[in-house]
């Protein structure tokens, strides 16, 4: 009996194919890359560490003062056009793209038009969808001048994090906001797997939870916006992590809109491990 032979066909890039390498586009070093990681992601750990330190080592009155200051940053208005904020966002995007280093593959760059809105369906979520940095407006790889990344609402109630992520181009992931942005001509990055995908993620494989997540597809069709699939290879290995698995945790995660878990990276802190990952479009 003749054996079947698996045939492999190499990918042949078309004339519109583009590849962007973060390290080639933005020369950087370990100092700038680490600092960019710390500013972008470390702020969430900073808040927790500050509260714990204040509660354990400071007088109760000083602890209340720290809580009050943090609450001020929760309600402090954000200047979306702040020159400092936009410079900081550009610094984070460019040095993070070089830090990994990240590589972005675009199947046909000519299919994207600056005056049109698109819906970029991004997977997997992993601990954090850090690969979106290569798609960000401040990175400049994509020819899309108006671009937002839809993000879980708790981010916009977290001191410091809400300012930094807003300057990076994050926007609340609500249906109303999603539709408004598309109508205003903004391309939107959507991570449909969300909490469920993070809850189901595994150490030994990439997990994408899309079976019942069709709402973003429906909205894209209603608004007449092309839907572009995006997958980040290697992103799941950017952090080490631990989380319990239980129905109660899943229910809690859905209620608070994020998964309570421990994650760490280089030096045992919230810095991403250096690795290469690719985004295919």
């Amino acid at each position: 009996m003749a054996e079947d032979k698996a045939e492999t066909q190499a990918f042949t890039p078309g004339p519109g194919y583009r590849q962007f390498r973060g390290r080639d586009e933005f020369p950087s070093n370990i100092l700038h890359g680490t600092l960019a990681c710390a500013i972008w992601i470390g702020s969430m750990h900073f808040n927790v560490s500050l509260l714990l330190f204040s509660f354990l080592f400071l007088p109760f009155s000083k602890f209340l003062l720290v809580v009050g200051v943090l609450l001020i940053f929760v309600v402090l208005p954000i200047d979306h056009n702040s020159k400092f904020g936009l410079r900081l966002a550009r610094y984070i995007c460019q040095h993070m793209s070089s830090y990994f280093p990240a590589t972005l593959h675009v199947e046909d760059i000519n299919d994207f038009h600056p005056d049109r809105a698109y819906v970029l369906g991004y997977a997997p979520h992993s601990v954090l969808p850090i690969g979106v940095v290569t798609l960000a407006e401040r990175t400049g790889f994509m020819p899309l001048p108006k671009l937002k990344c839809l993000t879980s609402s708790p981010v916009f109630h977290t001191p410091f994090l809400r300012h930094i992520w807003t300057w990076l181009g994050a926007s609340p992931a609500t249906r109303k906001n999603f539709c408004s942005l598309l109508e205003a001509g903004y391309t939107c990055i959507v991570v449909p797997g969300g909490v469920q995908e993070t809850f189901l993620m595994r150490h030994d494989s990439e997990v994408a939870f899309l079976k019942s997540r069709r709402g973003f597809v429906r909205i894209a069709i209603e608004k007449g916006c092309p839907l572009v699939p995006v997958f980040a290879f290697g992103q799941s290995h950017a952090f080490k992590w631990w989380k319990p698995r239980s129905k109660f945790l899943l229910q809690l995660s859905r209620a608070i809109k994020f998964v309570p878990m421990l994650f760490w990276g280089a030096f045992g802190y919230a810095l991403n491990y250096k690795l290469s990952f690719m985004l295919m479009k």
Side-chain angles (χ1 to χ4, degrees):
M1 184 173 62
E3 297 182 358
D4 294 331
K5 296 183 179 179
E7 295 183 1
T8 58
Q9 183 176 359
F11 169 69
T12 304
Y17 171 78
R18 292 292 185 277
Q19 176 179 275
F20 300 95
R21 296 181 180 272
R23 186 160 293 174
D24 294 339
E25 300 289 336
F26 309 116
S28 183
N29 56 47
I30 186 63
L31 177 62
H32 286 294
T34 302
L35 181 59
C37 286
I39 295 172
W40 184 22
I41 300 167
S43 54
M44 62 182 70
H45 287 70
F46 172 77
N47 289 323
V48 175
S49 301
L50 180 60
L51 286 172
L52 286 176
F53 175 84
S54 302
F55 181 73
L56 295 174
F57 299 106
L58 295 181
F60 188 69
S61 59
K62 297 294 179 63
F63 168 71
L64 291 179
L65 178 62
V66 171
V67 172
V69 171
L70 291 178
L71 288 176
I72 290 174
F73 277 95
V74 170
V75 299
L76 190 68
I78 302 174
D79 181 2
H80 291 71
N81 297 315
S82 165
K83 291 183 179 180
F84 166 77
L86 297 181
R87 284 199 301 268
L88 179 64
R90 186 177 296 108
Y91 175 87
I92 292 172
C93 289
Q94 294 182 354
H95 288 287
M96 284 288 287
S97 295
S98 179
Y99 173 79
F100 289 105
T103 303
L104 174 65
H105 298 266
V106 184
E107 186 175 354
D108 193 344
I109 199 76
N110 298 320
D111 284 342
F112 294 93
H113 303 282
D115 57 348
R116 190 170 188 182
Y118 300 83
V119 175
L120 309 184
Y122 182 102
H125 187 287
S126 309
V127 175
L128 290 169
I130 53 179
V132 298
V133 69
T134 62
L135 301 171
E137 180 182 335
R138 298 297 161 188
T139 305
F141 288 161
M142 298 298 295
L144 302 172
K146 299 172 66 176
L147 194 149
K148 294 289 185 181
C149 179
L150 301 187
T151 309
S152 181
S153 56
V155 167
F156 303 98
H157 301 288
T158 305
F160 308 116
L161 195 67
R162 59 191 291 266
H163 285 79
I164 295 171
W165 284 34
T166 296
W167 290 328
L168 285 167
S171 190
T174 64
R175 179 184 177 88
K176 180 179 180 180
N177 186 51
F178 185 17
C179 293
S180 297
L181 288 172
L182 292 177
E183 290 169 358
Y186 280 90
T187 290
C188 293
I189 304 172
V190 182
V191 188
V195 166
Q196 185 79 35
E197 196 168 82
T198 303
F199 180 79
L200 294 173
M201 68 181 183
R202 300 165 56 94
H203 288 286
D204 56 350
S205 61
E206 304 278 9
V207 176
F209 182 78
L210 300 171
K211 187 175 181 180
S212 60
R213 302 300 173 93
R214 297 185 289 270
F216 74 104
V217 177
R218 188 179 302 111
I219 292 175
I221 294 173
E222 290 175 355
K223 301 300 178 182
C225 299
L227 183 63
V228 183
V230 182
F231 196 90
F233 294 93
Q235 178 181 264
S236 297
H237 303 291
F239 291 104
K240 293 185 180 297
W241 53 269
W242 177 88
K243 61 178 175 62
R245 297 196 65 174
S246 67
K247 291 184 177 179
F248 171 75
L249 179 64
L250 178 58
Q251 293 171 350
L252 175 63
S253 301
R254 287 173 174 170
I256 62 179
K257 299 184 179 180
F258 69 91
V259 179
M261 61 186 300
L262 297 176
F263 66 94
W264 62 95
F267 314 116
Y269 187 57
L271 301 178
N272 314 72
Y273 284 99
K274 294 189 69 175
L275 56 98
S276 296
F277 64 83
M278 299 184 296
L279 284 82
M280 296 293 295
K281 298 185 61 179

